[in-house]
Amino acid sequence: MKKIINGFIGIFLLISTMACTKQPKLEGLDLETWKSDRGGCQGKRLAMLEKVKSLKEEIRGVSANDMDDYFGKPDIQQLADRNQKYYIYFFEPGTHCQNKTQKSSALSMGIRFSAMGIATEITFQHGTP
């Protein structure tokens, strides 16, 4: 009986932790335009670069599930060691626009998620992190 109660407590704590993820304040960022410019291939995301950079601290702490809701499906998703993962969003057109399997050196944002699915690091680079 004690194992069952401990199991329910564990499930409750897990659910309550997941329900309390950070809700970022992304004012001034047109997320619908962002989502419609898949891969940055239309060049619309590039105009948002400075705004996204200014929101870097707001993005940190957001769950991967919430990130999908805000920014849409990532252009590239990479798995890393220790159950971490990266979401990569491109800001500008590159070789990835013609062939998704081609490595691209276009300007991008990489978001690293911990094993718990929380954004821990946001980087800006050419290509993938």
Side-chain angles (χ1 to χ4, degrees), residues 22-24 58-64 66-67 70 113 117-119:
K22 179 180 175 182
Q23 301 300 311
E58 281 296 319
I59 296 169
R60 187 170 302 167
V62 175
S63 75
D66 287 342
M67 196 65 65
Y70 295 122
F113 293 94
I118 304 298

Side-chain angles (χ1 to χ4, degrees), residues 22 24-27 29 48-62 67 71 91 108-112 119-125:
K22 179 180 175 182
K25 296 178 182 124
L26 301 174
E27 289 98 16
L29 188 60
M48 300 179 199
L49 177 61
E50 292 306 315
K51 183 62 179 173
V52 173
K53 282 184 175 181
S54 74
L55 295 170
K56 184 176 174 178
E57 291 304 315
E58 281 296 319
I59 296 169
R60 187 170 302 167
V62 175
M67 196 65 65
F71 287 92
F91 283 96
S108 67
M109 171 176 64
I111 304 170
R112 183 176 69 157
T120 58
E121 181 181 10
I122 294 87
T123 59
F124 298 88
Q125 64 277 317

Side-chain angles (χ1 to χ4, degrees), residues 5 14-15 27-28 33 41 50 52-53 57 77 88 90 94 113 116 128:
I5 292 172
L14 180 65
I15 291 172
E27 289 98 16
T33 299
C41 295
E50 292 306 315
V52 173
K53 282 184 175 181
E57 291 304 315
Q77 182 175 340
I88 291 91
F90 288 103
F113 293 94
M116 295 295 292
T128 57

Side-chain angles (χ1 to χ4, degrees), residues 34-109:
W34 175 276
K35 290 178 193 177
S36 71
D37 187 11
R38 186 91 172 108
C41 295
Q42 298 172 13
K44 295 177 185 177
R45 289 182 182 175
L46 192 55
M48 300 179 199
L49 177 61
E50 292 306 315
K51 183 62 179 173
V52 173
K53 282 184 175 181
S54 74
L55 295 170
K56 184 176 174 178
E57 291 304 315
E58 281 296 319
I59 296 169
R60 187 170 302 167
V62 175
S63 75
N65 290 336
D66 287 342
M67 196 65 65
D68 287 344
D69 293 340
Y70 295 122
F71 287 92
K73 184 179 172 188
D75 301 324
I76 297 175
Q77 182 175 340
Q78 295 178 333
L79 297 177
D81 59 341
R82 297 185 181 151
N83 293 328
Q84 297 180 58
K85 63 183 170 182
Y86 285 90
Y87 278 10
I88 291 91
Y89 295 95
F90 288 103
F91 283 96
E92 61 186 359
T95 55
H96 64 281
C97 293
Q98 289 79 31
N99 184 348
K100 291 182 182 185
T101 61
Q102 287 288 333
K103 190 170 185 169
S104 180
S105 61
L107 185 61
S108 67
M109 171 176 64

